Amino acid sequence: MSEEGLSTASLIKRLLLLVVGMFAFGFLLVPIYDVMCQAFGINGKTAGSAWQGQEQAVDMQREVRVQFVSNNAEGMRWSFGPEDNEIVLHPGETRSMNFLAHNPTDRVMVAQAIPSVAPSRAAAFFHKTECFCFTQQVLQPGESVEMPVRFIVDPALPTDVRRLTLAYTLFDVTERMAPSLDLAAVHRN
């Protein structure tokens, strides 16, 4: 083989290794992101559903105000928001809030809600036991739905935190789901 053929083969091998490395890095981004958020207390990621089924002591001496905010990502046409803007609760209480969504379009759509909690240092003390954000939501044209979130604010929340904001951004993921999902069949079942 000529010297030029060896350098071309070497270049192709290097490029293939680079592609494989980039692909692997793409899969590792989510776990890396989760570790970074947990380590640095950034982005207000909630503590998730780890408390489901656990009994908690309610701190009747404290009140915390939880504000609910909703946003639509660019291109999302649904109307989407909480039934109430805020509630007052005692840490340790299990509470719920319904979010209302309506698909005003003439097509089946799939949405994914991404939550965040502010202040971010309080996110580790906000535990969702049930949430519409755990799964993607499919709505038919003109359909409306109530989507509940059930949560507990940990009594270990720092005492200087008296107000939390739970915010959701709703994304249209219809196009991403279309190749692997018969949207009309999913909703009928």
Side-chain angles (χ1 to χ4, degrees):
M1 195 176 260
S2 70
E3 205 172 293
E4 184 179 307
L6 285 175
S7 68
T8 302
S10 176
L11 177 62
I12 290 173
K13 286 179 186 176
R14 289 180 185 170
L15 288 174
L16 285 174
L17 283 173
L18 179 65
V19 168
V20 169
M22 289 171 43
F23 188 72
F25 183 72
F27 274 107
L28 293 174
L29 279 178
V30 172
I32 290 170
Y33 175 78
D34 289 340
V35 167
M36 296 294 284
C37 286
Q38 187 174 18
F40 297 113
I42 56 175
N43 192 39
K45 287 191 78 166
T46 62
S49 60
W51 277 32
Q52 195 162 0
Q54 294 183 17
E55 287 295 318
Q56 299 302 318
V58 177
D59 184 353
M60 298 302 290
Q61 305 304 311
R62 293 175 56 196
E63 287 187 340
V64 175
R65 188 172 301 274
V66 179
Q67 180 182 17
F68 302 96
V69 177
S70 63
N71 300 294
N72 283 0
E74 186 175 337
M76 174 46 92
R77 298 196 37 216
W78 289 10
S79 59
F80 169 64
E83 280 185 334
D84 292 314
N85 292 328
E86 66 181 27
I87 60 173
V88 176
L89 56 80
H90 298 285
E93 279 185 294
T94 300
R95 296 297 294 268
S96 297
M97 176 58 64
N98 283 326
F99 280 71
L100 309 173
H102 174 72
N103 176 3
T105 70
D106 60 355
R107 63 188 179 100
V108 177
M109 290 183 69
V110 181
Q112 179 70 53
I114 305 298
S116 66
V117 172
S120 60
R121 68 187 182 102
F125 302 95
F126 191 92
H127 306 281
K128 290 181 289 168
T129 60
E130 177 185 338
C131 185
F132 57 91
C133 63
F134 294 159
T135 59
Q136 293 174 339
Q137 306 298 315
V138 179
L139 288 184
Q140 296 293 317
E143 185 178 14
S144 297
V145 67
E146 285 185 2
M147 303 183 301
V149 59
R150 191 169 172 86
F151 60 92
I152 301 167
V153 174
D154 190 333
L157 177 75
T159 57
D160 63 324
V161 178
R162 294 183 188 96
R163 179 183 294 269
L164 297 171
T165 301
L166 174 61
Y168 286 100
T169 301
L170 194 65
F171 290 87
D172 178 2
V173 295
T174 307
E175 295 304 317
R176 194 168 41 188
M177 296 304 297
S180 63
L181 184 63
D182 178 1
L183 296 176
V186 165
H187 192 72
R188 277 184 259 129
N189 292 335

